[in-house]
Amino acid sequence: MATDTEVKTKERSPVVVVMGHVDHGKTSLLDYIRKTNITAKEAGGITQSVGAYEIMHNAKRITFIDTPGHEAFSKMRSRGARVADLAVLVVAADDGVKPQTKEAIAILKETKTPFVVAINKIDKNNSDIERVKNELLQAEVLLEGYGGGVSFQQVSAKTGEGVNDLLDHLLLAAEVENLTYDPAAPAQGIIIEAKLDRRRGNELMVILKNGVLRRGNEIGTPSVAGKVRTLENFLGETIDELSPSSPALILGFDKLPAVGEEFIVGGFGDMAPLLAKPVPKTREVKKDERGKKTVRFILKADVQGSLEALEDIISAMSDPDVEVQVMSARVGDVTDGDVKSAITTGAKILAFRVRVEKAAQVLGQANAVEVIHGEIIYELIKVVEEEIKNIKDPKPTGILDVLAVFNQKSSKQLIGGKVAEGILRTKGVFQIERGLQIVGTGRIVSLEQNKREVTQVEAGKECGLFFDSPTKIEVGDRLLAKPIA
Ligand code: GDP
């Protein structure tokens, strides 16, 4: 039996975002679902988009965020709270998995957003569903019936085939998530659009995630506060109260908040300045966590939405061994200022759809600052993943292929070989690799090239060396110089 002190939660409907590669049919699918589930009479009330709409399917509600693709990234996550509970990953049956599909998969995995796959355009002659499934498996999306739990549905956003089944899958996925809200909690949600209407003033489009929002409530985001003077549902009808996960339009604010900000009845009070999204221009170095290996990045991107998506994902990539730090994140081309920060902090620069200014190029080259370009977020995430892997298990700075063994009377063995990669230097410890196994370690006592003693030999060159190791070197072994991790 429930007592008065217990929180009585109620079921909440899912908020869904649609993602996938450009032209795979995200907009068409959102349009088809809207058109077939909202009656013409109701739709007559829609004077403008509030950035989301709600449908009924099998007597259950589903909210769709009406912005497909990249922009949805920034709407999907705000500080601490997630707008979308579920996602639809659209893949065109005639085109398969493409770069932005992979990008979407990476984002869905990083943000731990459950998703359903819609294999779209099945009405087309050249659709190849098996190929799409295989490509999804290669992209590590484990489909139901193929060893995984991700459900999928073949659809046509043109003819509508399969769309009802897709909605069934979404409701099933929502059931698994067990989404609830507390009607007694202060109403709380996320701003998905904010704009100035010349006639009506500032308009905030929001999605409610908890509590019940009422007309007259005083609400605040970390940056602005105001009173809900007018509350409208997504059909443009005036309402007195709203429950989760419905979208709504709020009038009554003097200032516009930022998209993605969270709002709560009563506002954030003293916490507001701490929570407010800092203006990107002034965001700088975050503190080092002692004792943990760190990898640092400076992020530059063409637009705020991509920058935030990139920062959110990369900041969340730290693991127990490696701390990933975003030193700064700003919109705009890579400047010499960015390169200077990279030199002092040892950071690498990730440049998403931006150029590198001339002065920055010159300074960067002179100081061996790495600037990594990317046209899709997924590419840059891969770079960060590689970097983390490399820190855990550093790449050798030099590799020698052993071609001959001349003398093995003592632990000091005389061998000959060719530098396969990097530079072979006399310093440091070397690992001895045989097949795919490390069979021992050792040090270089002396190194000779063309019968002259040297301290280093470059890739492609042959050399002779005395190598001190208890392990007997064999022809075919590789000596790997590893940086001290
Ligand atoms: P988005 O970029 O992912 O939002 O893709 P759109 O919805 O704009 O669709 C891109 C193109 O594909 C448009 O010309 C659509 O008419 C077409 N399209 C979308 N879905 C289907 C489908 O199921 N079948 C066919 N034949 N064409 C489709």
Side-chain angles (χ1 to χ4, degrees):
M1 269 262 280
T3 65
D4 281 352
T5 49
E6 267 180 57
V7 178
K8 294 179 191 125
T9 56
K10 284 187 165 182
E11 190 182 326
R12 177 171 73 74
S13 53
V15 179
V16 179
V17 69
V18 176
M19 301 176 81
H21 195 69
V22 65
D23 278 346
H24 279 199
K26 301 178 291 295
T27 314
S28 306
L29 185 65
L30 279 163
D31 286 349
Y32 184 88
I33 295 170
R34 191 199 303 105
K35 201 172 66 205
T36 48
N37 289 280
I38 299 170
T39 62
K41 191 166 136 270
E42 284 175 328
I46 307 181
T47 47
Q48 60 188 323
S49 161
V50 299
Y53 65 82
E54 212 173 68
I55 61 155
M56 290 299 282
H57 179 72
N58 295 348
K60 297 231 175 208
R61 279 191 298 160
I62 308 176
T63 300
F64 283 92
I65 304 232
D66 208 1
T67 329
H70 280 69
E71 264 186 79
F73 296 160
S74 54
K75 288 184 185 165
M76 205 160 78
R77 297 191 88 215
S78 72
R79 201 173 280 269
R82 212 169 57 184
V83 181
D85 303 300
L86 299 174
V88 175
L89 178 68
V90 176
V91 189
D94 61 342
D95 203 24
V97 171
K98 288 280 165 260
Q100 285 166 9
T101 321
K102 289 186 182 165
E103 188 169 304
I105 293 167
I107 286 164
L108 293 171
K109 287 195 171 168
E110 290 293 339
T111 55
K112 300 195 169 56
T113 307
F115 62 99
V116 168
V117 173
I119 303 179
N120 189 33
K121 305 199 188 185
I122 53 163
D123 59 287
K124 292 186 92 168
N125 299 336
N126 57 344
S127 72
D128 186 347
I129 291 153
E130 283 313 306
R131 184 185 124 206
V132 175
K133 287 184 190 168
N134 277 326
E135 289 179 357
L136 281 167
L137 290 176
Q138 276 164 26
E140 290 171 24
V141 174
L142 302 179
L143 299 175
E144 256 173 14
Y146 294 80
V150 179
S151 63
F152 62 94
Q153 179 62 45
Q154 302 171 18
V155 299
S156 165
K158 191 176 172 192
T159 67
E161 189 183 342
V163 175
N164 271 333
D165 296 316
L166 178 69
L167 298 177
D168 288 347
H169 284 299
L170 279 174
L171 286 179
L172 272 176
E175 227 166 80
V176 174
E177 293 303 300
N178 190 25
L179 306 166
T180 58
Y181 76 100
D182 173 8
Q188 172 233 327
I190 290 151
I191 313 286
I192 57 165
E193 305 267 11
K195 62 174 193 275
L196 174 67
D197 180 271
R198 277 200 311 170
R199 213 164 38 83
R200 308 210 300 166
N202 286 334
E203 295 181 329
L204 316 188
M205 290 80 169
V206 307
I207 287 189
L208 192 65
K209 298 289 290 211
N210 201 11
V212 176
L213 185 66
R214 297 189 173 86
R215 195 145 56 97
N217 279 161
E218 302 271 356
I219 64 172
T221 74
S223 66
V224 299
K227 190 170 176 167
V228 181
R229 193 160 43 78
T230 307
L231 189 61
E232 291 177 359
N233 66 13
F234 78 99
L235 295 168
E237 298 160 344
T238 307
I239 47 170
D240 288 329
E241 61 174 50
L242 183 83
S243 60
S245 307
S246 293
L249 188 140
I250 294 173
L251 298 177
F253 271 59
D254 293 335
K255 283 198 207 138
L256 285 173
V259 168
E261 271 191 302
E262 207 174 330
F263 69 85
I264 191 161
V265 164
F268 290 92
D270 295 344
M271 292 287 284
L274 297 173
L275 293 167
K277 284 207 168 187
V279 180
K281 274 193 182 128
T282 58
R283 204 174 324 174
E284 269 305 344
V285 180
K286 288 177 186 167
K287 275 219 173 120
D288 212 341
E289 209 174 280
R290 299 271 160 222
K292 211 168 163 183
K293 289 171 202 164
T294 52
V295 52
R296 301 189 171 116
F297 295 98
I298 290 173
L299 312 183
K300 301 294 303 229
D302 57 343
V303 293
Q304 189 66 23
S306 314
L307 188 69
E308 281 174 15
L310 205 56
E311 188 182 6
D312 275 352
I313 294 165
I314 291 174
S315 307
M317 287 173 79
S318 292
D319 69 14
D321 300 322
V322 181
E323 169 83 8
V324 181
Q325 291 183 348
V326 174
M327 310 306 287
S328 67
R330 297 177 214 186
V331 167
D333 288 342
V334 178
T335 64
D336 56 344
D338 295 322
V339 175
K340 281 179 198 153
S341 307
I343 297 167
T344 48
T345 60
K348 293 182 197 301
I349 300 176
L350 298 181
F352 181 67
R353 295 195 183 145
V354 290
R355 293 179 318 124
V356 182
E357 287 178 2
K358 191 78 202 153
Q361 273 177 25
V362 174
L363 192 65
Q365 274 161 10
N367 291 280
V369 169
E370 253 187 86
V371 182
I372 302 134
H373 288 270
E375 284 298 307
I376 53 173
I377 290 179
Y378 176 72
E379 285 172 357
L380 293 179
I381 293 169
K382 277 269 161 231
V383 168
V384 178
E385 270 174 10
E386 279 297 311
E387 202 57 39
I388 294 172
K389 228 170 47 196
N390 194 26
I391 285 197
K392 286 186 183 170
D393 184 19
K395 269 191 206 143
T397 53
I399 301 178
L400 180 88
D401 280 332
V402 177
L403 302 177
V405 177
F406 302 109
N407 187 330
Q408 272 180 327
K409 291 211 176 89
S410 70
S411 70
K412 287 202 184 92
Q413 311 169 52
L414 179 60
I415 59 179
K418 186 171 176 179
V419 180
E421 277 175 37
I423 294 175
L424 194 74
R425 293 194 173 86
T426 45
K427 284 198 197 108
V429 177
F430 288 76
Q431 291 182 333
I432 305 160
E433 187 186 66
R434 187 167 299 157
L436 286 174
Q437 290 197 333
I438 303 299
V439 293
T441 57
R443 288 176 180 278
I444 293 179
V445 181
S446 64
L447 185 61
E448 272 188 9
Q449 192 180 10
N450 301 327
K451 303 222 153 67
R452 281 188 25 223
E453 183 141 350
V454 290
T455 54
Q456 64 177 55
V457 179
E458 287 164 18
K461 299 276 170 17
E462 293 193 356
C463 57
L465 54 149
F466 270 111
F467 191 70
D468 189 4
S469 168
T471 308
K472 274 203 172 359
I473 303 296
E474 294 177 5
V475 170
D477 285 353
R478 296 192 117 190
L479 304 186
L480 315 177
K482 288 259 182 169
I484 312 289

